[in-house]
Amino acid sequence: MLSPSALLVRLREDVDAARRRDPAARSRVEVALLYPGLHAIWAHRVWHALWRRGLRLVARAGSQLTRWLTGIEIHPGARIGRRFFIDHGMGVVIGETAELGDDVMLYHSVTLGGRTRDHGKRHPTLEDGVVVGSGAKILGPVRIGARSVVGANAVVTKDAPADSILVGIPAKPRPRTAADDSRAMLTAVEYVI
């Protein structure tokens, strides 16, 4: 459990992460009050804490309430790192065994889903600094390496090494160069399906 001062540091960190990644953000107050992706993340942290303490029905009910309010579905069992940001967010789905590192960013309509009904790890792992474009689907227990970018509407079903760009259906990784700009890649015509 975080102390009140540590909690305030985390909340400020989340707000600052949103302001850094969204050029339309004008103030901390605007972000804190009006960003549904941020509200979904904050609620998830509460539901995840309850999930880990064995209060699974309460946690699931809470996550469904958050889904209804924000349009973002994050299973309370999902593990999410610091400074996670969901831009816009409507239609985002994050499955139970998904794991997201620090500084991950998702755009709207992203699915981090499963491909099997088996128990155990069945959802993706996104390492630190991964950016996922709108409409992308990452399915199964795949691992997306740190600082990788998944293009809009890509369908990923295989692991990708760090510093990859993944585009297409099925997505195929290619190495990311230092000149590649994540924000530009997510909107450039050649990366949109």
Side-chain angles (χ1 to χ4, degrees), residues 6-130:
L7 180 61
L8 286 175
V9 167
R10 287 280 179 94
L11 294 175
R12 179 176 282 233
E13 188 176 75
D14 289 336
V15 170
D16 288 344
R19 289 191 70 207
R20 238 185 346 271
R21 294 180 180 139
D22 185 356
R26 287 180 267 296
S27 72
R28 280 191 172 114
V29 172
E30 176 187 37
V31 170
L33 294 177
L34 302 176
Y35 276 51
L38 196 56
H39 301 153
I41 294 161
W42 288 343
H44 169 74
R45 290 196 180 127
V46 172
W47 310 136
H48 182 70
L50 293 174
W51 181 267
R52 292 188 62 201
R53 286 171 178 75
L55 299 169
R56 304 237 162 140
L57 180 62
V58 175
R60 285 299 305 266
S63 72
Q64 290 302 301
L65 175 63
T66 301
R67 175 186 178 207
W68 183 73
L69 292 170
T70 65
I72 298 167
E73 181 175 345
I74 306 174
H75 191 285
R79 293 192 290 180
I80 297 176
R82 295 173 74 168
R83 296 174 301 278
F84 175 53
F85 179 56
I86 302 172
D87 196 5
H88 297 288
M90 184 61 73
V92 167
V93 177
I94 300 174
E96 177 184 9
T97 62
E99 299 175 58
L100 286 69
D102 296 336
D103 302 305
V104 170
M105 180 176 174
L106 307 180
Y107 284 88
H108 63 280
S109 300
V110 167
T111 299
L112 303 180
R115 292 186 301 169
T116 178
R117 294 173 60 188
D118 297 338
H119 293 286
K121 177 74 170 148
R122 59 190 186 283
H123 298 97
T125 297
L126 308 183
E127 294 181 359
D128 296 345
V130 171

Side-chain angles (χ1 to χ4, degrees), residues 151-152 167 174 181-193:
V167 295
R174 74 164 174 82
D181 173 26
S182 300
R183 208 173 277 278
M185 283 188 286
L186 294 170
T187 59
V189 175
E190 60 268 24
Y191 295 107
V192 178
I193 311 274

